[in-house]
C-alpha cells in the first residue's frame, strides 16, 4: 500500500472527521515555545490567514494570553467560537482523579472559553501532585506519581459528559498504551498527538492508530529546530538537501512540503511559528499534492530520531539520560 492515504468520507481536504463525528481542521497553529508577547499576535495572524485550529497546553505557560487574543478575535466578528477548534492538554502533575477537573477549569478560565474541542493527556506518566509543575528532588531528578492514566481518563470522560470537552485524546502514548485506553474506556480517544516528521515517520504507531480509528496528530512536524536543548551535532531536518530538492520541484518551501507530507498520510499537523510570513506560508498547502514517489523519498529519511525527549544529567554518572525512562509508564521505552 502506498504512503498516500486514500481519503474516504471522513476527509474533505481541510478537515478530518474524528471517531465521534466531530470535525478537526487538518492544519493547526502550534503554540509550544511561543513566548508571551508574541503568541497573541500569532493567533490573530493565523485566524486572518485561514487557520481554524489552535493547539494549546497548560504547560506552555501562554494560555492566558491566547485567551485574550481569542476574545479579541471573536469580538472582531471574523469568526465565532464554534468556527475554531481549540485543543489543550492536561499536565503531568494533575493526573490524580481529584485534580483533573481543576486543571481543566484553569485552562478554560485562561482561554476564556466554556469548552475545549479536544483535551489530551499530555504524557502517560504522572508527576507528584502539587503546585510545582516540575517537582524535583535535591539532585534534580523528578518526583513522580504512580497514578495510572486509566484513572485520569475516567475523569476526562466525566468532563465530556458535563459539556466542558467535545473530544478527548492522548499525547505521547505508544501503541500499547493507546490500545489499552481504547480497550478499557467508555469514550474512546479521538486523537493521539506525537512527534512526527520524516526523520521520525512513526509508521508502526500510525498503523496502530488507524486500526483503532484514532486520528494521529503530528507535533514538531518541521523537526523543532528552535527547541532550547538542541545540540550542534543534532540532525537538522530543515537543512536536509533531499528535502530542499523536493521543495524546489514543487516551487514550495521545505516547511510546506513537510506539512503536506503529513496531510497526504491523513495526519493532522500543527506547525508552530510566531513569524507572520511563515504562519501564512505554512497554511498555503492546499494547492498541491506530493507524488507517491516523493512521499516514499521523504519516508526514507526515517532514522528514527526524536527531537523532543526530556533529558537530565544523571546525578551519579553526569551523563545525559532520558529523564523519565525509569517510570513504568514512560512511553519511549517501547519501540513504538
Amino acid at each position: 500500500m502506498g504512503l498516500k492515504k486514500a481519503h474516504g468520507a471522513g476527509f474533505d481536504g481541510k478537515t478530518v472527521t474524528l471517531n465521534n463525528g466531530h470535525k478537526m481542521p487538518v492544519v493547526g497553529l502550534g503554540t509550544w515555545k511561543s513566548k508571551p508577547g508574541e503568541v497573541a499576535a500569532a493567533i490573530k495572524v493565523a485566524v486572518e490567514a485561514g487557520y481554524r485550529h489552535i493547539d494549546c497546553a497548560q504547560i506552555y505557560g501562554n494560555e492566558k494570553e491566547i485567551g485574550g487574543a481569542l476574545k479579541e478575535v471573536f469580538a472582531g466578528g471574523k469568526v465565532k467560537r464554534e468556527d475554531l477548534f481549540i485543543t489543550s492538554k492536561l499536565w503531568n502533575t494533575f493526573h490524580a482523579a481529584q485534580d483533573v477537573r481543576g486543571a481543566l477549569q484553569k485552562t478554560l478560565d485562561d482561554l476564556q472559553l466554556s469548552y475545549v474541542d479536544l483535551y489530551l493527556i499530555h504524557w502517560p506518566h504522572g508527576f507528584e501532585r502539587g503546585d510545582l509543575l516540575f517537582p524535583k528532588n535535591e539532585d534534580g531528578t523528578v518526583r513522580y506519581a504512580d497514578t495510572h492514566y486509566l484513572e485520569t481518563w475516567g475523569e476526562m470522560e466525566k468532563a465530556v459528559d458535563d459539556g466542558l470537552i467535545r473530544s478527548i485524546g492522548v499525547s505521547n502514548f505508544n501503541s500499547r498504551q493507546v490500545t489499552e485506553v481504547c480497550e478499557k474506556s467508555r469514550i474512546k480517544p479521538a486523537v493521539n498527538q506525537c512527534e512526527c516528521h520524516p526523520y521520525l515517520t512513526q509508521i508502526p504507531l500510525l498503523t496502530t492508530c488507524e486500526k483503532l480509528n484514532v486520528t494521529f496528530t503530528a507535533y514538531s512536524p518541521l523537526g523543532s529546530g528552535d527547541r532550547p536543548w538542541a545540540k550542534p551535532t543534532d540532525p537538522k531536518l530543515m537543512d536536509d538537501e533531499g528535502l530542499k530538492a523536493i521543495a524546489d520541484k514543487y516551487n514550495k518551501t521545505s516547511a510546506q512540503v513537510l506539512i503536506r507530507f503529513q496531510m497526504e498520510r491523513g495526519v493532522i499537523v500543527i506547525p508552530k511559528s510566531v513569524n507572520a510570513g511563515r504562519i501564512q506560508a505554512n497554511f498555503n498547502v492546499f494547492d498541491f499534492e506530493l507524488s507517491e514517489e516523493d512521499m516514499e523519498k521523504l519516508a526514507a529519511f526515517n532514522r528514527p530520531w526524536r527531537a523532543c525527549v526530556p533529558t537530565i544529567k544523571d546525578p551519579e554518572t553526569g551523563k545525559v539520560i532520558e529523564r523519565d525512562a525509569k517510570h513504568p509508564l514512560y512511553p519511549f521505552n517501547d519501540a513504538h
Side-chain angles (χ1 to χ4, degrees):
M1 190 176 88
L3 287 163
K4 287 163 70 80
K5 188 174 179 182
H7 301 295
F11 183 75
D12 63 10
K14 291 200 172 182
T15 64
V16 170
T17 301
L18 303 178
N19 58 21
N20 56 11
H22 290 297
K23 289 183 179 292
M24 184 174 182
V26 69
V27 178
L29 179 74
T31 61
W32 176 45
K33 307 184 300 292
S34 296
K35 298 171 186 172
E38 297 178 338
V39 71
I43 297 291
K44 294 171 191 174
V45 169
V47 171
E48 189 64 34
Y51 289 76
R52 296 294 180 263
H53 170 188
I54 312 294
D55 183 83
C56 314
Q58 181 180 357
I59 195 61
Y60 300 166
N62 54 16
E63 286 193 328
K64 191 166 282 190
E65 185 174 339
I66 291 171
L70 291 174
K71 185 178 180 181
E72 286 187 44
V73 165
F74 297 145
K78 184 174 178 64
V79 294
K80 302 186 289 292
R81 168 64 188 98
E82 55 266 31
D83 296 328
L84 292 189
F85 190 103
I86 310 293
T87 299
S88 189
K89 308 178 191 76
L90 178 76
W91 183 240
N92 305 8
T93 46
F94 305 112
H95 281 199
Q98 61 265 47
D99 296 331
V100 173
R101 184 62 63 98
L104 169 60
Q105 192 58 56
K106 182 179 189 320
T107 278
L108 291 173
D109 291 346
D110 285 349
L111 293 174
Q112 301 185 49
L113 301 175
S114 60
Y115 70 92
V116 287
D117 296 274
L118 178 64
Y119 199 53
L120 309 176
I121 300 179
H122 207 145
W123 289 87
H125 52 285
F127 294 168
E128 182 181 85
R129 297 178 63 212
D131 295 329
L132 295 175
L133 296 177
F134 289 94
K136 292 182 180 179
N137 300 304
E138 287 186 11
D139 63 3
T141 56
V142 173
R143 295 200 301 273
Y144 297 102
D146 58 5
T147 307
H148 197 277
Y149 45 76
L150 290 176
E151 176 185 327
T152 312
W153 191 259
E155 295 303 311
M156 306 257 287
E157 291 176 324
K158 292 176 187 176
V160 174
D161 296 337
D162 292 341
L164 301 177
I165 308 169
R166 294 279 172 87
S167 303
I168 47 179
V170 295
S171 179
N172 297 300
F173 276 49
N174 62 37
S175 292
R176 180 172 48 83
Q177 292 167 332
V178 71
T179 299
E180 182 178 25
V181 179
C182 283
E183 290 176 345
K184 297 180 179 179
S185 59
R186 175 171 60 89
I187 300 176
K188 306 302 181 198
V191 167
N192 187 14
Q193 183 184 124
C194 300
E195 179 182 349
C196 190
H197 43 73
Y199 284 176
L200 183 70
T201 54
Q202 296 276 30
I203 288 173
L205 179 56
L206 182 56
T207 300
T208 296
C209 289
E210 286 178 352
K211 288 178 181 175
L212 296 169
N213 197 21
V214 173
T215 296
F216 197 97
T217 297
Y219 75 70
S220 296
L222 311 183
S224 194
D226 61 346
R227 63 196 183 283
W229 55 85
K231 300 189 293 292
T233 54
D234 285 346
K236 295 181 177 63
L237 175 59
M238 291 285 281
D239 292 342
D240 192 292
E241 291 300 325
L243 171 62
K244 289 179 180 178
I246 292 172
D248 288 345
K249 174 180 172 181
Y250 291 91
N251 197 26
K252 290 289 183 179
T253 67
S254 293
Q256 288 168 333
V257 167
L258 292 173
I259 294 164
R260 189 72 205 186
F261 171 73
Q262 302 295 359
M263 293 169 63
E264 298 279 0
R265 302 197 303 161
V267 171
I268 304 280
V269 58
I270 47 171
K272 170 261 171 182
S273 182
V274 294
N275 176 282
R278 285 197 287 272
I279 290 171
Q280 292 161 345
N282 288 348
F283 199 71
N284 185 23
V285 288
F286 297 96
D287 60 350
F288 76 109
E289 288 187 17
L290 297 169
S291 69
E292 183 64 49
E293 180 186 6
D294 288 326
M295 289 290 292
E296 289 173 0
K297 284 180 182 176
L298 289 165
F301 291 0
N302 190 47
R303 299 196 171 205
W305 171 78
R306 294 183 187 275
C308 303
V309 179
T311 58
I312 192 173
K313 274 193 176 180
D314 188 316
E316 295 179 5
T317 66
K319 292 181 179 179
V320 175
I321 58 171
E322 295 186 32
R323 184 190 66 200
D324 304 326
K326 292 181 180 178
H327 195 290
L329 298 179
Y330 180 63
F332 303 156
N333 286 336
D334 287 24
H336 57 81

